[in-house]
Amino acid sequence: MSRFSIGIVCLPSLGGSAVVASELAAGLADRGHDVHLIAKALPNGPPPANERLSFHRVNVPGYPLFEQPPYTVALACAIVEVARDHRLGVVHVHYAVPHATSAYLARQVLGRQAPRLITSLHGTDVLRVGSLPDYRSVTSFAVAQSDGVVVPSVFLEGEAHRLLELPECLSVEIMPNFVDTERFSPAVVRDCDALQALFEDADAPSGPLLFHVSTFRAIKRVQDVIDVLAHVRRELPARLVLVGDGPERAAAEAHASKLGLERWVRFLGKRRDFVNYLQQADVFLLPSETESFGLAALEAMSTGIPVFGYRVGGLPELVTDEVGRLVAPFDVDALAQAVLDVIRVPATQAALGRAARARALEHYRAEPALERYEGYLQRVLERAPARENQ
């Protein structure tokens, strides 16, 4: 396998696209490739120390004329500079809006010296943002100019072709997300002290623990998580921990307060160091309106936690009946009942957790995924550039 010089572009957030991009960057650097991470800020904290992994900040200068600084142009310029300075063979952009457009502009500037372009679609860049009439024509065009497109599920492949009207001849690779199975591993011993500290004012600190991680956008339906807790607490002294932040957090906190659940709910905010708390969970809840894959669900599975959610999007490709329960979309009563049916029977809960861990180990480990990415990058580099095929 030859060594690549690759630029990876991502959002500076704790969302799934940034997690996948930064983990891919670190993994490829560990495997001997020269990787250049390009973003407005470091995603997910400082990158691991590796001389083959470097970070390039996208500076977006403000000017009184602009209400919003032109990030798309600034990113295109950053890609041009990194490509020229480091002779990139590939630019791999994560999240199409506006990264595919910026990369296309950069390739126009670079001409015959332009690197190959791969666009990873992650979900809402197709299902919500990219398909909006305000963005669709340019996003569809830019994605179609890619030398390759990566999606995490069969579901998103179909939706990308349908909503972005991608040409059938465009190479679309289904590459499921992966997880660090060593970091996200089951606890050897349950850390009761950590939970006691979180719920020191609760009347029943030893009840079942429900868990949720997301970006707290409307599509994540966080209030449904609160409603599930309310249903479960009618029969069991359950508690809930939520990790993440976003526009729906205030509404979720208000909803918990309205239902009188403040003592049994903890919002931990944005943080990467939540694995210790996740390891204590009995149930992971992901009641999203849709999921292209469900990286948070995979992290829970790797930790040995059963996953519960709605049967939507690409989630059924990941969460089978052996590792959790999916119910009809947006039926909170059915979701809560599925949780109760499992946690009332410890043997069933344990069996689901073991199967979840086994499925993560068998299908979603990082090393095999990185090998697949290497093979895919090699194939893209060996093909004629997309602009020569037009």
Side-chain angles (χ1 to χ4, degrees):
M1 179 69 66
S2 59
R3 194 174 74 191
F4 311 125
S5 179
I6 179 171
I8 293 182
V9 178
C10 68
L11 297 167
S13 70
L14 283 175
S17 67
V19 171
V20 171
S22 55
E23 292 291 332
L24 179 61
L28 290 175
D30 286 342
R31 296 174 72 86
H33 304 290
D34 295 316
V35 183
H36 302 271
L37 191 61
I38 306 169
K40 283 178 65 177
L42 277 167
N44 306 314
N50 188 318
E51 63 180 10
R52 295 197 178 279
L53 176 59
S54 56
F55 171 66
H56 305 267
R57 188 179 303 277
V58 180
N59 294 311
V60 189
Y63 188 74
L65 178 65
F66 302 118
E67 290 186 13
Q68 298 291 334
Y71 167 68
T72 302
V73 176
L75 174 58
C77 289
I79 294 172
V80 168
E81 292 173 6
V82 176
R84 282 175 173 166
D85 291 346
H86 300 280
R87 303 184 66 176
L88 298 182
V90 178
V91 168
H92 186 178
V93 300
H94 290 257
Y95 209 85
V97 183
H99 294 167
T101 302
S102 296
Y104 172 76
L105 291 173
R107 293 218 306 181
Q108 294 303 105
V109 173
L110 291 163
R112 291 189 175 275
Q113 303 304 312
R116 301 290 200 275
L117 170 60
I118 296 173
T119 299
S120 271
L121 306 174
H122 285 271
T124 50
D125 52 347
V126 174
L127 306 173
R128 291 291 184 272
V129 185
S131 58
L132 289 173
D134 312 80
Y135 298 119
R136 184 173 55 234
S137 59
V138 171
T139 300
S140 297
F141 173 82
V143 172
Q145 303 310 302
S146 303
D147 297 290
V149 175
V150 174
V151 295
S153 63
V154 174
F155 162 76
L156 193 60
E157 178 194 27
E159 291 299 276
H161 278 291
R162 183 176 71 86
L163 295 173
L164 298 183
E165 299 179 344
L166 299 179
E168 290 299 324
C169 62
L170 182 63
S171 169
V172 177
E173 189 83 1
I174 299 172
M175 202 84 74
N177 294 333
F178 57 92
V179 65
D180 183 342
T181 53
E182 292 186 8
R183 179 181 172 220
F184 289 95
S185 60
V188 177
V189 178
R190 195 176 180 97
D191 188 353
C192 297
D193 290 341
L195 295 182
Q196 181 68 39
L198 275 182
F199 293 96
E200 57 186 356
D201 62 338
D203 59 356
S206 60
L209 180 66
L210 316 184
F211 210 93
H212 174 78
V213 179
S214 78
T215 53
F216 283 71
R217 290 173 291 159
I219 197 172
K220 299 299 182 179
R221 298 181 68 95
V222 183
Q223 291 193 34
D224 285 16
V225 177
I226 308 296
D227 288 334
V228 168
L229 174 68
H231 282 64
V232 172
R233 280 195 59 82
R234 293 171 189 165
E235 300 188 32
L236 295 172
R239 301 151 300 158
L240 170 65
V241 169
L242 303 98
V243 174
D245 204 351
E248 296 298 310
R249 177 172 171 176
E253 290 177 331
H255 193 54
S257 178
K258 176 183 176 182
L259 296 178
L261 297 172
E262 307 101 306
R263 294 170 63 190
W264 302 286
V265 178
R266 293 295 179 268
F267 291 85
L268 301 188
K270 287 183 180 180
R271 57 194 303 170
R272 296 190 74 245
D273 59 335
F274 64 86
V275 179
N276 182 48
Y277 294 117
L278 177 60
Q279 289 172 329
Q280 318 310 315
D282 297 284
V283 163
F284 187 86
L285 294 171
L286 193 65
S288 305
E289 185 175 325
T290 190
E291 288 282 346
S292 64
F293 178 84
L295 181 60
L298 176 57
E299 291 172 344
M301 287 167 53
S302 182
T303 312
I305 310 300
V307 174
F308 296 77
Y310 298 132
R311 195 174 295 108
V312 294
L315 202 55
E317 297 175 43
L318 174 67
V319 181
T320 65
D321 288 342
E322 289 75 29
V323 305
R325 297 288 185 268
L326 299 179
V327 303
F330 323 134
D331 188 340
V332 175
D333 290 342
L335 186 57
Q337 190 60 52
V339 170
L340 281 166
D341 289 345
V342 168
I343 59 178
R344 280 198 192 109
V345 185
T348 300
Q349 179 186 328
L352 290 174
R354 288 193 300 269
R357 173 67 175 173
R359 182 167 171 77
L361 288 170
E362 183 176 0
H363 298 290
Y364 302 105
R365 289 188 301 113
E367 282 305 307
L370 291 168
E371 290 176 7
R372 290 195 296 272
Y373 268 106
E374 284 180 318
Y376 180 64
L377 290 167
Q378 186 68 50
R379 295 196 300 275
V380 169
L381 283 167
E382 290 171 353
R383 290 199 298 260
R387 56 187 177 281
E388 293 180 8
N389 293 328
Q390 300 290 313

